[in-house]
Amino acid sequence: MTRNSYEERQEARRARYEERAERARKEAEGKARRATTMADCIPFGQPILVGHHSEGRDRRFRARIGQVMTQAVQADKKADYYEQKAEGVGKGGISSDDPQAIEKLTAQLEKLEADSIKMKAANKAVRKNDRKALEALGYSEKAIELLFKPDHVGRVGYADFELTGNRANARRIRQRIEVLKKTQARENVEQVGEGYTYREDSEENRVMFEFDGKPDAETRQVLKDHSFRWSPTRGENGAWVRHLNNAGIYNAQCVRKILDAQKD
């Protein structure tokens, strides 16, 4: 199955996390082996010989063993962290960067709206004590019993907060769809500035600055101050990016003014 550009970036991101986790795990194993080897140099049960000429060296050596083992534990924790990050890629809900986001959100919205209709019909059937109507709606015998079971305040059926929450989720998704439609309807922009190329890419859903090489420290700081971050996977030499929205465009214009003024 062919991946779209978003899915390819997600897969590359997952691979980067997995690579970092593997490096950290190898570092942890290496540090642990080194600490063990160092500890083996000390005879079993050998105490520090207080007052002996070797006391200072021995204390430093034992402290170093502790430091190396601490580094092993830290590297192991880092490996766990990156493994969790790799596992979580693509599981954070529907991203606005996904080219199929509108299609997926629309499916979610349709389900929420259908659920609202079903919940209202179920409550009506519960009030009438109409179990046949609930069966016709697709409820199992167990689910019907649960609908008739009073909650802690004696309510049966679906509580008002469940219906309200469902409607609120539907409203939120509907608003996201409208925002995404407006974003996708934007015309792409590509303009050459003083030492950079500025782009607004609706397909990538990004505002971005591209440079021929690595920008100087002052330029990088300006970009960071306006919440742009480095993306090595975009453009021939990578790019500094933000999401394509009003805030992103506003901050991009601020960056452009600063960069252009520096060249005057």
Side-chain angles (χ1 to χ4, degrees), residues 15-234:
R16 288 197 299 273
Y17 284 139
E18 290 173 345
E19 182 182 355
R20 293 173 187 174
E22 184 178 0
R23 285 203 306 266
R25 195 72 72 191
K26 288 180 178 178
E27 179 186 353
E29 292 171 356
K31 295 284 187 182
R33 284 195 301 269
R34 183 182 174 192
T36 301
T37 300
M38 292 171 71
D40 288 343
C41 295
I42 302 173
F44 181 73
Q46 174 67 56
I48 295 174
L49 301 177
V50 179
H52 192 267
H53 67 82
S54 64
E55 178 185 353
R57 183 175 64 254
D58 192 17
R59 287 187 184 278
R60 289 192 296 272
F61 185 71
R62 292 173 189 250
R64 181 59 183 156
I65 294 173
Q67 291 170 358
V68 174
M69 185 54 72
T70 297
Q71 291 170 357
V73 172
Q74 291 173 339
D76 199 53
K77 289 181 178 179
K78 183 186 292 185
D80 288 341
Y81 169 77
Y82 282 124
E83 285 176 353
Q84 290 172 3
K85 294 285 282 186
E87 180 67 22
V89 171
K91 296 182 179 179
I94 299 173
S95 171
S96 298
D97 296 341
D98 189 338
Q100 296 178 312
I102 292 178
E103 178 183 342
K104 292 176 181 178
L105 287 169
T106 300
Q108 275 192 358
L109 178 60
E110 290 173 352
K111 183 179 184 307
L112 285 169
E113 291 174 337
D115 286 346
S116 288
I117 293 173
K118 184 176 180 179
M119 290 163 74
K120 290 178 182 177
N123 276 358
K124 182 177 180 180
V126 169
R127 288 194 297 270
K128 293 182 177 181
N129 196 26
D130 190 345
R131 293 174 179 265
K132 293 292 185 182
L134 290 170
E135 289 177 5
L137 288 170
Y139 288 96
S140 66
E141 184 177 342
K142 183 178 179 180
I144 292 172
E145 291 302 322
L146 288 174
L147 285 171
F148 279 99
K149 182 179 179 180
D151 63 12
H152 65 288
V153 293
R155 293 174 299 200
V156 293
Y158 290 102
D160 288 343
F161 72 85
E162 293 179 277
L163 292 164
T164 301
N166 204 63
R167 287 196 298 268
N169 284 332
R171 183 167 58 253
R172 175 183 56 79
I173 290 175
R174 195 176 294 110
Q175 290 170 346
R176 273 198 71 193
I177 291 172
E178 290 304 313
V179 169
L180 287 174
K181 284 181 177 179
K182 289 179 181 178
T183 298
Q184 291 186 5
R186 291 179 185 269
E187 292 187 6
N188 289 340
V189 173
E190 182 170 333
Q191 297 171 345
V192 178
E194 292 292 339
Y196 65 84
T197 298
Y198 169 71
R199 294 177 56 207
E200 295 174 12
D201 193 320
S202 59
E203 182 178 350
E204 292 278 344
N205 193 30
R206 290 294 185 274
V207 181
M208 64 184 76
F209 287 89
E210 296 176 345
F211 299 86
D212 291 335
K214 183 177 180 179
D216 58 37
E218 185 178 357
T219 298
R220 295 199 304 272
Q221 191 58 54
V222 170
L223 291 161
K224 291 176 183 177
D225 288 344
H226 290 81
S227 300
F228 281 84
R229 60 181 178 81
W230 170 246
S231 173
T233 60
R234 288 183 170 85

